[in-house]
Amino acid sequence: MSVASLSDLSAAPPTEKLPPVRGYWASVGNRLRYDYLTIFFLSVIAIIVVLAILAPLIAPFDPTKSHMAYRLKPPGFRNFMLGTDELGRDMLSRLLWGGRTSLLMGIFPVLLATLVGGSLGVAAGFMGGRTNTFIMRTMDVVFAFPSVLLAVAISGTLGGGAKNGMLALTLVFIPSICRVAESATTQVRGLDFVEAARASGGSTLSIVRTHILGNVLGPVFIFASSLISVSILLGSGLSFLGLGVEPPTPDWGLMLSTLRAGIYTQPLLCALPGAAIFITSLSFNLVSDGLRQAMDVKA
Amino acid sequence: MVYDTHALAAPPSPASTGTPLVEVRDLSVEFVSRESTTRAVNGVSFSLAPGEVLCIIGESGSGKSVTMRALMKLHPAKHTRISGYMRVADHEVSAHSEREMRDIRGSHISMIFQEPMTSLDPVYRIGDQIAETVVHHKKCSRADGYARALELLKLVGVPSPERRLKAYPHELSGGLRQRAMIAVALSCSPTLLLADEPTTALDATVQIQVLVLLRRLQQELGMAVIFVTHDLSVAAQIADKVAVMYAGRIVEYGSVADVLQHPAHPYTQGMLASTVSGHMRGQIIEAIPGSPPDMRVRIEGCSFVPRCKSVKPACRRGTPALVDVLQGHQAACANFV
């Protein structure tokens, strides 16, 4: 082997039309494009979100105004497209407005928990040793309680209200997100490219910011997205038990709870908020699954 | 056995009469844990002239990688005790703080790793990773960093470099990844390149390509290279000087021709004898009996005694020092005292 033959070794292959180099998000988008199930449920979510946002504009009635003469009327009665509840309030308006509360209950606690749990997990994973033990064992203590029981206990202690309900859900989600972030960080920390970054002069902070976060954000994001449906369910559960949203405010869980009394006279009415909860949380769940598949680069 | 040294005829390396680029004196590295102290490196000294290639050879656990990482102070400070004197160019590494080291790492000294699969961050494009280092050290704009990245990919012989700049590591083959890793390491034109078995994880064909590339770049850029390997044929290909390490000590040191063709230390002799190379089929290959010593236990005398074929009473008395066998060819063995 001589130095002269080097040009042959590194010579460019005959130029032919190569497929374009796609960026990360472009390739994720491309994979999603052929995943019709995810696209369908993604559009369901989009419709629900748009309806919830536009609720003040499109709701035919005031959701808190009761018509005492028309209580528990079936769908299609007069102007009440989906009927009325036990206080004669328009079901459609209440479902639209209730979507706002339920989506908020679904998304906000998960966001907050991702922020807090994610940073705790990355810190624990990166620093290791005693810091890790301290943070993770504290999380394990919280983990020991069943999540529903914990949420009920916390919001019961704090008192009802949407704010306390969301806080309770946040506290319930922090340990699991923390654990995902910690295990992802521990995995990444030992890989050569972290040492390579140090060997090319990176400071600890810049390594955590670019290399650790860059690799941990994906799994954490996917896990958090799967928690949204859980959060919607738990939030509705809290409201159902009277620990979440305060009564006049429309909320799916709360509606389910109050309409329960009329289940023998108008069973369909009671099913409406239930169906809304079911469809929304199912959609979030399936979209999260689709995203997981689309974002998994290493597969 | 005769090794075809200097298959890639190297130009005579710069006269070693000038001040050496790298000077290491009496380097010791100990890893401290609650249960035990591992003495990974025990008093290693060597020097390296600018533009020279030193190969450190040794089996797993002989302290070769540890020596190299100590030069960059990459060991976690909490569990490591480093003593001795280390100097690279006009930086006294042994006296530098972590902050000062950060400026040297990647600019004056840089490193290539063994595993091209994990030494590049999977979530960033190749171009980003090269530009990151350039921007960090040269304090230049992102665009200049990219221009430099393209230049480097051309330099290391990556085909269609414009495309690869935008590619993610998983889209490249092992050989291309290792080339990209070399590009990252060369991004700030270091004077010293540390290579930790950079060809071990590659196919035989790619291995030779990367070696040829490294040799060419080393000569073009005039870098000094410390190359860690356990593959003797790799050492024969690329090295000017060879240091053989055993149990945390250099047991033999000299020019590649001297060491590989006239090995003086019994360990080097045994290692050469146990290498498969052009043997007749069915011929039994001699192996060195036993295994390397446990580095947690302090050893009296020469650490190679339990495996050595020519043990003398003097071997058990004290650790032999490196002595001249020939001009510039040293071995640490009681047989030469």
Side-chain angles (χ1 to χ4, degrees):
Chain A
M1 170 131 320
S2 70
V3 182
S5 65
L6 185 74
S7 50
D8 316 331
L9 295 173
S10 56
T15 42
E16 44 185 284
K17 195 83 182 88
L18 294 162
V21 178
R22 283 204 187 91
Y24 176 64
W25 289 108
S27 50
V28 168
N30 188 56
R31 257 167 284 173
L32 273 183
R33 226 171 63 195
Y34 299 102
D35 187 353
Y36 302 116
L37 193 77
T38 307
I39 292 180
F40 174 75
F41 283 102
L42 201 61
S43 35
V44 171
I45 291 180
I47 291 168
I48 294 171
V49 169
V50 167
L51 287 179
I53 290 172
L54 295 181
L57 299 176
I58 56 174
F61 292 91
D62 180 345
T64 52
K65 187 169 186 301
S66 49
H67 307 81
M68 290 315 272
Y70 314 122
R71 287 184 298 177
L72 284 174
K73 292 298 177 206
F77 179 81
R78 301 234 176 146
N79 291 330
F80 306 109
M81 252 187 284
L82 292 177
T84 58
D85 70 358
E86 79 290 348
L87 291 175
R89 295 173 295 198
D90 178 40
M91 282 295 287
L92 178 61
S93 308
R94 281 183 73 73
L95 279 175
L96 288 172
W97 279 89
R100 301 188 126 200
T101 345
S102 288
L103 285 179
L104 205 64
M105 284 289 241
I107 293 165
F108 185 74
V110 174
L111 274 184
L112 200 62
T114 305
L115 215 64
V116 178
S119 349
L120 279 175
V122 169
F126 191 75
M127 289 194 245
R130 279 194 198 142
T131 321
N132 183 305
T133 311
F134 177 74
I135 295 178
M136 294 321 288
R137 291 303 82 77
T138 312
M139 292 301 156
D140 284 349
V141 171
V142 185
F143 242 128
F145 300 99
S147 53
V148 179
L149 188 68
L150 187 65
V152 169
I154 295 172
S155 59
T157 318
L158 294 171
K163 234 187 252 168
N164 288 343
M166 283 197 262
L167 190 66
L169 291 179
T170 308
L171 290 175
V172 168
F173 293 142
I174 285 176
S176 47
I177 292 180
C178 181
R179 190 177 268 185
V180 170
E182 191 254 0
S183 70
T185 309
T186 325
Q187 237 172 47
V188 170
R189 189 179 70 138
L191 293 181
D192 277 350
F193 63 80
V194 174
E195 199 185 9
R198 229 156 81 71
S200 55
S203 64
T204 307
L205 198 69
S206 76
I207 290 171
V208 170
R209 208 179 50 223
T210 56
H211 298 288
I212 302 283
L213 275 189
N215 283 282
V216 169
L217 233 45
V220 169
F221 175 72
I222 290 294
F223 181 71
S225 75
S226 76
L227 280 181
I228 291 180
S229 65
V230 179
S231 185
I232 290 175
L233 279 178
L234 273 180
S236 305
L238 284 183
S239 302
F240 184 85
L241 296 173
L243 291 167
V245 179
E246 303 281 350
T249 324
D251 172 87
W252 293 342
L254 194 64
M255 289 164 73
L256 203 60
S257 159
T258 51
L259 284 167
R260 197 176 31 141
I263 196 163
Y264 293 113
T265 36
Q266 287 294 348
L268 195 60
L269 287 184
C270 191
L272 283 175
I277 295 169
F278 174 71
I279 291 170
T280 313
S281 87
L282 181 77
S283 306
F284 272 109
N285 220 334
L286 289 172
V287 166
S288 159
D289 270 0
L291 275 180
R292 184 199 304 273
Q293 269 169 18
M295 282 175 68
D296 193 8
V297 179
K298 279 153 234 147
Chain B
M1 170 186 318
V2 176
Y3 262 92
D4 178 20
T5 54
H6 291 229
L8 305 159
S13 52
S16 44
T17 44
T19 42
L21 176 77
V22 184
E23 232 186 312
V24 173
R25 276 205 306 268
D26 211 21
L27 172 72
S28 292
V29 183
E30 293 178 347
F31 297 118
V32 188
S33 73
R34 231 168 290 158
E35 295 90 33
S36 61
T37 300
T38 308
R39 295 174 191 83
V41 175
N42 304 301
V44 160
S45 306
F46 62 89
S47 61
L48 189 63
E52 219 176 24
V53 179
L54 169 72
C55 246
I56 305 182
I57 308 177
E59 58 198 300
S60 314
S62 58
K64 40 194 200 324
S65 297
V66 174
T67 306
M68 212 173 55
R69 279 175 167 72
L71 257 180
M72 244 175 161
K73 285 200 168 173
L74 281 176
H75 296 295
K78 226 162 87 187
H79 308 290
T80 319
R81 270 204 302 258
I82 300 181
S83 64
Y85 173 82
M86 293 181 281
R87 182 183 62 79
V88 175
D90 38 3
H91 297 282
E92 198 188 324
V93 172
S94 43
H96 271 357
S97 67
E98 173 66 21
R99 177 174 283 276
E100 288 168 307
M101 282 311 296
R102 238 184 275 150
D103 293 332
I104 304 175
R105 287 182 198 139
S107 58
H108 291 281
I109 318 173
S110 57
M111 190 158 167
I112 326 174
F113 293 83
Q114 177 177 347
E115 216 23 270
M117 296 298 173
T118 54
S119 49
L120 291 166
D121 191 332
V123 299
Y124 295 101
R125 296 160 196 270
I126 300 293
D128 286 323
Q129 298 192 45
I130 304 175
E132 183 196 354
T133 313
V134 178
V135 171
H136 176 79
H137 286 291
K138 299 245 161 101
K139 310 273 179 266
C140 61
S141 72
R142 201 88 199 143
D144 289 345
Y146 267 100
R148 174 78 180 142
L150 185 64
E151 201 179 294
L152 283 159
L153 283 187
K154 282 180 189 155
L155 183 73
V156 297
V158 170
S160 49
E162 290 86 356
R163 242 175 90 78
R164 305 297 183 203
L165 212 53
K166 287 190 221 130
Y168 286 87
H170 72 271
E171 296 170 295
L172 304 185
S173 66
L176 280 187
R177 264 186 247 193
Q178 198 58 299
R179 281 168 195 256
M181 194 62 223
I182 293 172
V184 175
L186 297 182
S187 57
C188 296
S189 348
T191 46
L192 175 64
L193 179 68
L194 306 177
D196 189 0
E197 308 196 23
T199 57
T200 310
L202 304 174
D203 294 352
T205 46
V206 181
Q207 207 167 20
I208 197 77
Q209 290 176 16
V210 169
L211 277 181
V212 170
L213 172 75
L214 274 174
R215 191 55 162 162
R216 189 197 75 190
L217 291 172
Q218 180 264 330
Q219 285 164 9
E220 277 175 12
L221 308 175
M223 296 179 291
V225 177
I226 299 181
F227 199 102
V228 162
T229 182
H230 54 242
D231 189 336
L232 292 166
S233 49
V234 165
Q237 284 281 345
I238 199 163
D240 294 318
K241 295 277 171 62
V242 171
V244 180
M245 279 189 84
Y246 185 78
R249 289 197 175 81
I250 293 181
V251 293
E252 183 158 3
Y253 176 85
S255 74
V256 64
D258 285 347
V259 174
L260 294 186
Q261 288 171 354
H262 311 287
H265 195 281
Y267 176 61
T268 319
Q269 288 166 356
M271 198 159 57
L272 281 164
S274 61
T275 309
V276 184
S277 161
H279 286 285
M280 287 297 289
R281 194 187 174 94
Q283 190 180 340
I284 290 165
I285 293 165
E286 238 180 290
I288 308 177
S291 51
D294 188 339
M295 306 295 281
R296 286 170 298 189
V297 192
R298 203 183 277 281
I299 307 155
E300 281 303 316
C302 176
S303 48
F304 192 57
V305 164
R307 306 172 73 185
C308 191
K309 283 195 286 191
S310 45
V311 184
K312 295 200 294 186
C315 295
R316 300 184 198 275
R317 250 171 265 142
T319 313
L322 273 175
V323 288
D324 275 352
V325 181
L326 286 164
Q327 178 73 34
H329 181 185
Q330 301 162 310
C333 180
N335 288 314
F336 296 105
V337 179

